[in-house]
Amino acid sequence: MIWLTWRQLRGSAAMMAAVLVILAVALALTGPDLASDYTAGIAACAQDDTCGRFYDRFFGAYDLPFMAVSLVVLLLPALVGLFWGAPLITRELEAGTHLLVWNQSITRGRWLAIKLGLTGLVAMAAAGVCGLAVTWWSDPLDKSAPAGLALMSPLVFSARGIAPMGYAAFAFVLGVTVGMLVRRTLPAMALTLAVFVAIQLAMPLLVRPHLMPPVTSTFELSAVNVDGFGINRDRGGYVEVRLSDAVPGHGGAWVLSSKLVDSSGRPATSPEPGVGIVQVSTTSGPCSPAGQQGMSACPTEVNRLGYRQQATYQPLERFWPFQWIETGIYALLTLGLTWLSFWWIRRRLS
Amino acid sequence: MTSVLEAQALGRKYGKRWALRECTIDIPAGHVVGLVGPNGAGKTTLLKLACGQLEPSAGGVTVLGGRPAGTPAQLARVGFVAQDTPVYAGLTVADHLRLGARLNPRWDEAMARERIAQLGLAPAQRAGKLSGGQRAQLALTLGLAKRPELLILDEPVASLDPLARREFMQHLMEATVEHQFSVVLSSHLVSDLERVCDFLIVLVDSRVQVAGEVDRLLATHHRLTGPRRDPDRLPADQHVISASHTDRQSTYVVRTDTPIHDPAWTVTQLSLEDLVLAYMDKRTADNRRAALEVQR
């Protein structure tokens, strides 16, 4: 049975292997250079404290390959579910070959176990190799990525570490189960894709923020967490602070919410999201454009008045715990669907 | 000898529609059993129940004394060639033999190779490129080389041309003679089965109409032709299967165990085809009557 499963899989497995080898070779050739560029750049910028600019320049130079390899890791599980999972049973049902193979001297439970086991393991291995290779390669870029593409941010998190392995296993078994229920390849593929995408969206939006209680803390305003200061002339004029999704001292963190609070801890937010309001004179003093130094002293003044960024975030140190927990969740979902598929093939499918 | 197939009030429904109901049959071992009936009569359902492909909705069925497809050992004892003889289009002929060898403990490799050579199939040929007849022969080879005690074939020749039909049946018969196993095969054409079957089951409208050894069926069914007479006036031991009347003449097909001595009748022997047609006709006549009664 293992032979038959492999015989049916080997074509697409070879294609998958070819793609992975090309990717691995490309990553292996460019990875060491990328890492040494990064080390040299950090050594240089540490001397004159211009590392912020170095990060931007370094990341800017490689943002396309960064996006491309991340996309490969994100897409791989979906493709596995679509092209390996969904047709695994429907192809047999459509051609009638299930009648041939279920009447050899092997129970259909065992048949399914070997098909699921072997194909699933190959899929997981492919996603695992791909995910870990990309994690290794993009390490310098992940360290210099802007806040929105930080390691903990939803999209990048899903394209690193061991989680892709969990996604692939889940997508595969999802495809198989949907295929058994729907019995037609194309509708099964469409439904698998829809369900998988929905779950992949629900996970970072609804579940992942709560895997561990997020940290809430207040930070002084600085170049890290402020995108810009501005003056709004309405209602006698006030200073607007545009906050970024980053917290000082916790690079790579996933900022869930960020708002401006005043010295007594009350929120000082404007209706516009991510913007805080500071009640300070804009006609005289450090925050008036007419002052001696223009606006340059304004941030210091705002900090002196006790305005702070209050942020809720998941710090970067939780990357690996989160990876394990999330992989575990997908493993449980996979087991649940596997149980369903066995139940269905014994009781309902004919 | 034990029964190869024993069904007790066996039934199967799809949704609300019964595809097979109240099927009680007992097929002794060592026969080539023909299962005939019009399309949609429930032949495939009965065969799928027998090979464990389907679970019964009512009643029970035992095949060779065991629950169909219950264990690998039970699966090894029953071969099944499905309707339209499916094979893996992407696999070669040799791959199929390898599949059979790997999945069946009693696989007869020599027999499989010999048959493939005899049929002139190239082992490297992809099964998807085979003709309908060749594909059917490949599926039959898989079924035979498994060395089952019972081989079930569901309309194996339905899509074949007359020459391929004859060849297929011939191969099947040679194998049964050589290896001594029981066969159940279905068809909607009596002519396919006439020369090979010694046991017949007629299935019409999801019910078994008659089942028995062909010789016995032919000996107990007669066509009576004579002056017009109502069915009520026939002897009680003559069961009317079908009847047709003209103004002056009546023709009956009856089943009876006793000889017919009434000199008014001209008694003629039935062919197997006539017998099956009589049962199909009876069923449709019954339906017509039922429909008329409903309308009244």
Side-chain angles (χ1 to χ4, degrees):
Chain A
M1 187 58 221
I2 295 175
W3 171 81
L4 176 62
T5 308
W6 176 244
R7 179 65 187 74
Q8 290 180 290
L9 177 67
R10 72 180 187 193
S12 53
M15 213 159 72
M16 170 77 87
V19 171
L20 284 185
V21 165
I22 293 171
L23 180 73
V25 167
L27 294 184
L29 289 179
T30 54
D33 287 348
L34 196 68
S36 62
D37 280 4
Y38 177 79
T39 325
I42 289 292
C45 76
Q47 288 167 0
D48 51 0
D49 203 20
T50 55
C51 284
R53 248 179 293 156
F54 165 73
Y55 286 148
D56 288 348
R57 202 174 57 227
F58 183 68
F59 188 81
Y62 292 102
D63 59 351
L64 255 168
F66 173 88
M67 295 294 185
V69 294
S70 300
L71 200 66
V72 167
V73 184
L74 286 175
L75 284 181
L76 190 79
L79 294 178
V80 161
L82 239 58
F83 292 101
W84 286 11
L88 193 78
I89 309 290
T90 57
R91 207 173 39 200
E92 305 260 354
L93 294 176
E94 282 177 347
T97 44
H98 64 300
L99 296 172
L100 175 73
V101 75
W102 290 354
N103 282 289
Q104 306 304 312
S105 313
I106 180 168
T107 59
R108 50 175 100 170
R110 201 171 136 71
W111 175 80
L112 179 65
I114 293 171
K115 269 182 107 66
L116 269 188
L118 185 68
T119 319
L121 282 179
V122 172
M124 280 173 70
V129 166
C130 188
L132 290 173
V134 167
T135 306
W136 165 78
W137 180 85
S138 63
D139 179 58
L141 291 168
D142 287 333
K143 284 180 186 150
S144 47
L149 292 171
L151 200 50
M152 285 295 280
S153 68
L155 277 181
V156 180
F157 180 89
S158 301
R160 299 286 183 274
I162 56 171
M165 212 152 46
Y167 303 152
F170 171 72
F172 172 67
V173 178
L174 177 72
V176 172
T177 311
V178 168
M180 268 189 207
L181 300 180
V182 177
R183 308 184 62 123
R184 296 255 150 247
T185 303
L186 274 178
M189 286 168 86
L191 194 59
T192 302
L193 184 65
V195 173
F196 184 65
V197 166
I199 287 179
Q200 289 296 75
L201 288 178
M203 189 71 196
L205 289 176
L206 305 174
V207 181
R208 199 184 296 152
H210 311 294
L211 290 183
M212 284 180 176
V215 181
T216 300
S217 189
T218 52
F219 300 95
E220 280 202 6
L221 302 176
S222 67
V224 175
N225 55 6
V226 175
D227 273 342
F229 286 90
I231 289 172
N232 195 315
R233 295 283 171 211
D234 295 346
R235 289 181 282 135
Y238 54 87
V239 169
E240 276 185 347
V241 180
R242 194 170 291 275
L243 295 168
S244 69
D245 281 339
V247 286
H250 294 277
W254 181 22
V255 178
L256 303 171
S257 74
S258 165
K259 64 183 177 208
L260 195 70
V261 293
D262 63 17
S263 53
S264 52
R266 280 188 304 251
T269 51
S270 92
E272 199 184 334
V275 173
I277 294 172
V278 176
Q279 298 300 342
V280 61
S281 168
T282 57
T283 49
S284 62
C287 286
S288 74
Q292 289 164 353
Q293 304 119 356
M295 288 285 284
S296 63
C298 189
T300 325
E301 175 66 5
V302 171
N303 267 327
R304 195 189 63 76
L305 288 170
Y307 285 92
R308 294 288 182 269
Q309 175 201 28
Q310 189 183 66
T312 305
Y313 63 99
Q314 296 286 4
L316 180 62
E317 298 81 70
R318 292 183 179 174
F319 177 78
W320 281 108
F322 268 43
Q323 283 275 333
W324 284 106
I325 294 171
E326 187 153 328
T327 309
I329 291 173
Y330 275 87
L332 284 180
L333 289 174
T334 305
L335 288 179
L337 282 177
T338 306
W339 176 84
L340 177 65
S341 67
F342 275 97
W343 184 83
W344 195 263
I345 204 168
R346 289 213 179 103
R347 294 295 157 85
R348 307 302 302 268
L349 199 65
S350 53
Chain B
M1 240 184 156
T2 53
S3 325
V4 287
L5 197 158
E6 204 177 350
Q8 281 292 334
L10 181 66
R12 166 76 196 195
K13 59 178 176 181
Y14 296 105
K16 284 186 177 162
R17 196 183 69 82
W18 285 92
L20 183 74
R21 62 166 96 190
E22 291 155 37
C23 169
T24 301
I25 40 174
D26 186 352
I27 304 175
H31 285 290
V32 176
V33 181
L35 177 61
V36 272
N39 290 323
K43 300 188 296 289
T44 298
T45 304
L46 175 58
L47 296 184
K48 281 187 170 176
L49 285 163
C51 74
Q53 193 68 38
L54 286 174
E55 292 281 318
S57 312
V61 57
T62 48
V63 172
L64 302 167
R67 192 171 73 85
T71 58
Q74 173 76 15
L75 280 162
R77 299 172 68 196
V78 181
F80 181 70
V81 177
Q83 202 161 1
D84 299 329
T85 55
V87 290
Y88 287 101
L91 266 55
T92 63
V93 171
D95 284 335
H96 278 87
L97 296 193
R98 198 154 171 206
L99 176 161
R102 298 230 164 201
L103 296 183
N104 297 291
R106 300 201 289 195
W107 182 256
D108 189 341
E109 181 72 24
M111 176 204 202
R113 284 192 186 288
E114 193 187 328
R115 266 189 61 81
I116 292 300
Q118 198 183 4
L119 292 164
L121 296 182
Q125 175 104 325
R126 278 189 192 278
K129 295 253 169 79
L130 297 175
S131 72
Q134 289 174 319
R135 207 180 58 210
Q137 291 283 14
L138 176 59
L140 177 64
T141 303
L142 279 176
L144 290 175
K146 187 182 175 185
R147 297 301 297 275
E149 291 165 45
L150 167 66
L151 182 62
I152 300 174
L153 304 105
D154 188 4
E155 303 245 5
V157 294
S159 56
L160 303 186
D161 60 65
L163 193 66
R165 265 171 204 234
R166 204 175 62 190
E167 210 174 330
F168 185 93
M169 285 302 190
Q170 204 174 341
H171 278 113
L172 178 62
M173 286 311 111
E174 282 166 11
T176 48
V177 170
E178 195 178 341
H179 299 293
Q180 299 292 318
F181 56 93
S182 305
V183 176
V184 176
L185 78 162
S186 71
S187 177
H188 59 272
L189 293 177
V190 188
S191 54
D192 286 338
L193 307 174
E194 214 161 18
R195 273 175 299 148
V196 297
C197 294
D198 53 8
F199 196 102
L200 192 76
I201 302 170
V202 180
L203 192 64
V204 182
D205 246 10
S206 72
R207 287 174 197 270
V208 172
Q209 305 297 322
V210 67
E213 288 182 33
V214 170
D215 291 345
R216 179 152 177 73
L217 289 179
L218 291 177
T220 54
H221 287 74
H222 310 277
R223 177 184 282 130
L224 311 179
T225 317
R228 179 153 186 156
R229 196 192 293 190
D230 276 345
D232 315 348
R233 293 176 50 219
L234 289 174
D237 64 346
Q238 292 181 5
H239 303 279
V240 177
I241 309 303
S242 75
S244 62
H245 306 279
T246 62
D247 283 347
R248 280 192 263 164
Q249 206 179 36
S250 288
T251 306
Y252 287 103
V253 173
V254 296
R255 186 180 74 234
T256 180
D257 289 330
T258 51
I260 294 162
H261 296 302
D262 193 332
W265 293 121
T266 311
V267 181
T268 39
Q269 184 77 52
L270 286 171
S271 72
L272 200 59
E273 182 143 22
D274 293 335
L275 192 150
V276 170
L277 284 174
Y279 275 99
M280 290 190 190
D281 193 35
K282 172 191 178 219
R283 194 67 208 169
T284 43
D286 287 354
N287 282 352
R288 217 161 29 229
R289 206 168 307 134
L292 278 174
E293 274 162 17
V294 168
Q295 276 175 3
R296 274 181 222 150

